[in-house]
Amino acid sequence: MIKKIKHLIGLDIKEEEYAYGHDPEYGYLAARKIPDRWVKSTCGYCSVGCGMLLGVKDDKIISVRGDKDHPVNEGDLCPKGLSEHHPLTSPDRAVSPLLKQPDGSFKEASWDEAYDRMVDTVSKVQKKYGPESFGVLSTGQLLTEEFYTLGKLVQLGFGTNNYDGNTTLCMSSPVVGYKQSFGSDGPPGSYKGLATADVIFLTGANIADNHPILWHHIRKNKDFKLIVCDPRKTKTAMLADLYLPLKPRRDIDLINGLIHLVIKNGKVDRDYIDKHTTGYEELCKHAEAFDLATTVERTGISEERILETYEAIANGKNVFFGWTMGINHSTQGSDTVSLINTLALITGNIGRTGAAPMSITGQCNAMGSREFSFSSSPPGYRKFEKAEDRKELAELWNIDESLMPTARGGNYPEIIDGILEGKIKALWVIATNPVVSFSDQDRLKKALAKLEILIVQDGFHPTPTTELADVVLPAAIWGEKDGSFTNTERRASRANAAVPPPGMARSDFQICLDLADKLGKKDMLFPEWTRTEDAFEEMRKISKGRLCDYSGMTVEKMTEQGGLQWPCNEANPDGSDSLYTDGIFKTEDGKAKLLFTSPEKLPEDVDGSYRLILNTGRTVEMWHTGTKTRNVPLLNKLAPEAWVEVNPATAKYYGIGPHDRVSLVSRRGRVDNLMVRIAETIHPDHVFMPFHFAEKCINKLTVPAFDPKSGTPNYKQCAVQLERYRG
């Protein structure tokens, strides 16, 4: 009664909710956020890999802090990290196995019932149509130990090589680009380089918004020049010393033009080129066509700005070349990466702190997937087609060499094509949401409808993808399981369990062990395994002597030191800041290849009916398809709905103003009822829209065009028309 009276007369100060208490470790905190214990972990959102402390009370994470002792973030966290514990208690958590009924409803089931439905149906499909009729689509969100376990289960247990991850939708282009140039995947640089380089050249990378903790590393740099190349004047571009407003997909022209100027003016590192590279003479001939006047005309960048960029790169002692999805999301992404590598090589910018071509990875463990998942390559950066690699792994695993796949199966888009063509009849989707994230949604849904069984393993239900499933397997998520993540700079850090998973949910690791047991192959694949540390010990053995060498890592050292950068071994017990410090690469002759390419036409250009180019991307408050972040009230208040960013001149042409409602229409579909944001940061011929919002799914519009080498979709450009919303 007293509380009620206080509330009515305005004296209710919610003293219990806002009371302070004293934590023995961190001093005064909100009393309701003082935990019984703090658990060290690593963030499970993006690839930056921030260290965290999770405050636990009564088997719930009640608070999160940045780990000041972790070298990546030194105590800082972005909005997503600060609220990362909230999705664990979301009402949309998947808490029991579900089986689709004939009427389309779901029925709760036991784990054995769900496993039996999955294994029996997949076995029948494979027996009738062949092993490759079963496809698997994974993620960049699992623990590295789970990737390793899943890969062995899929390739050697189920015997299918039609297995890929959603990392193909973002990171396969740098994987291929690195392999083409250096003979192996692996980002050569480190975050330390951002703080020490005298020139930082970012292309298609809005890190101030999308990787804000990396900006803290740049802020440590007291004497450098920041050059940002992007069609959209992003927050990062606004902070740049020099902004290059590039026309869409003209990055290839710009980089070729810079290579031309470096060669023409004798600013190459000829000693490094002669000792450590091949293909220089061919590169010189190719670069002749990209003179300054041609580069200006094709890129839309002024001669003055191009020359200023060239002079910074040519005269810089340590140049850091960074990029993200602006490069990767392209039909020419792989070759563009190799072209950036070439510019770094001919100027001698590799193998030193601050001197590197550095792809900034997308998801928290896309790197772990690249190293150990057994999807695009066998674990430890081996090759499917190399008999020596297959034999070595078979011996390490004590299995018959004939079980080893000799070629990669279909990548992500090829698996979807395989379903449409009737070659793949069963699909297992793990911790990804393709019904929002894959391009040309109508085509994807037609594919999923053709399957004999769709199994979806996720921490959340319902999602647009789990709703279509025949079997839903409830999985533990970040904060509920033990293992490791590897970030952009090759740093493997511990991600520890702080609380148990809800209901009947199990870790992805345990689900893999259970399925291996159902197949009768657990003893062969995972002898005596009970915890992720068993997988980690095997990873150390099979990576020894490889570029991604984990042999010197231990769980204890990773925890104590805030992660370790591979290669970590006897020679480098505390990890390695840079790759290729000796100028020896993973090619047959030990030399890097100076590769080049010419620009192709956009996969879809504007015309009289569709006169605007659509650009897509992230916003700092949200993550991917919003499965986690849309359920966090704070983040949802910051970004409650999708919007379309429009230039003032474009808005005037269409007669629209701020907060008006419009539709975007492409040749494949439409998205209605979008809020307008007017911004001079976007070109008059372009519009921008974030991709996080399932109910306003931008991939109804995007073009089904893919990099032929990597399989990465061309998310960044398609032709659209803008209409006033008439709903």
Side-chain angles (χ1 to χ4, degrees), residues 111-128:
W111 274 104
D112 279 337
E113 288 173 316
Y115 289 146
D116 287 343
R117 170 82 72 89
M118 175 182 176
V119 171
D120 291 349
T121 309
V122 169
S123 297
K124 288 175 183 175
V125 164
Q126 290 185 299
K127 186 175 181 180
K128 184 175 181 180

Side-chain angles (χ1 to χ4, degrees), residues 514-531:
D514 293 345
L515 286 168
D517 199 31
K518 284 285 181 184
L519 291 169
K521 297 183 179 180
K522 184 176 182 295
D523 289 341
M524 178 186 77
L525 298 177
F526 315 118
E528 299 182 8
W529 283 21
T530 58
R531 33 179 221 149

Side-chain angles (χ1 to χ4, degrees), residues 460-620:
F460 297 87
H461 174 78
T463 73
T465 303
T466 63
E467 287 181 312
L468 301 180
D470 299 292
V471 179
V472 176
L473 304 179
I477 62 172
W478 169 93
E480 299 168 348
K481 52 188 183 176
D482 291 314
S484 59
F485 292 147
T486 305
N487 72 355
T488 286
E489 62 169 357
R490 299 169 280 103
R491 182 181 298 276
S493 295
R494 287 290 292 178
N496 293 312
V499 295
M504 297 169 64
R506 294 179 179 178
S507 71
D508 299 278
F509 176 76
Q510 186 60 52
I511 292 170
C512 287
L513 295 191
D514 293 345
L515 286 168
D517 199 31
K518 284 285 181 184
L519 291 169
K521 297 183 179 180
K522 184 176 182 295
D523 289 341
M524 178 186 77
L525 298 177
F526 315 118
E528 299 182 8
W529 283 21
T530 58
R531 33 179 221 149
T532 54
E533 283 82 354
D534 297 320
F536 183 75
E537 287 305 309
E538 193 169 288
M539 287 159 47
R540 293 178 64 204
K541 291 177 184 176
I542 67 105
S543 66
K544 188 173 184 177
R546 311 294 302 179
L547 183 65
C548 56
D549 194 337
Y550 276 51
S551 64
M553 296 185 192
T554 65
V555 170
E556 292 74 24
K557 280 183 71 175
M558 290 165 66
T559 303
E560 290 167 6
Q561 298 187 27
L564 294 161
Q565 292 172 274
W566 60 255
C568 179
N569 45 34
E570 290 181 4
N572 305 285
D574 294 320
S576 307
D577 176 70
S578 301
L579 299 182
Y580 310 122
T581 55
D582 56 3
I584 299 173
F585 297 88
K586 297 301 178 180
T587 55
E588 289 186 4
D589 60 4
K591 294 186 176 184
K593 297 178 181 179
L594 299 177
L595 301 173
F596 48 84
T597 190
S598 295
E600 299 170 357
K601 291 182 179 179
L602 290 175
E604 181 177 76
D605 213 338
V606 296
D607 60 19
S609 300
Y610 302 94
R611 59 175 299 271
L612 297 168
I613 290 290
L614 171 65
N615 188 7
T616 68
R618 278 197 225 158
T619 181
V620 68

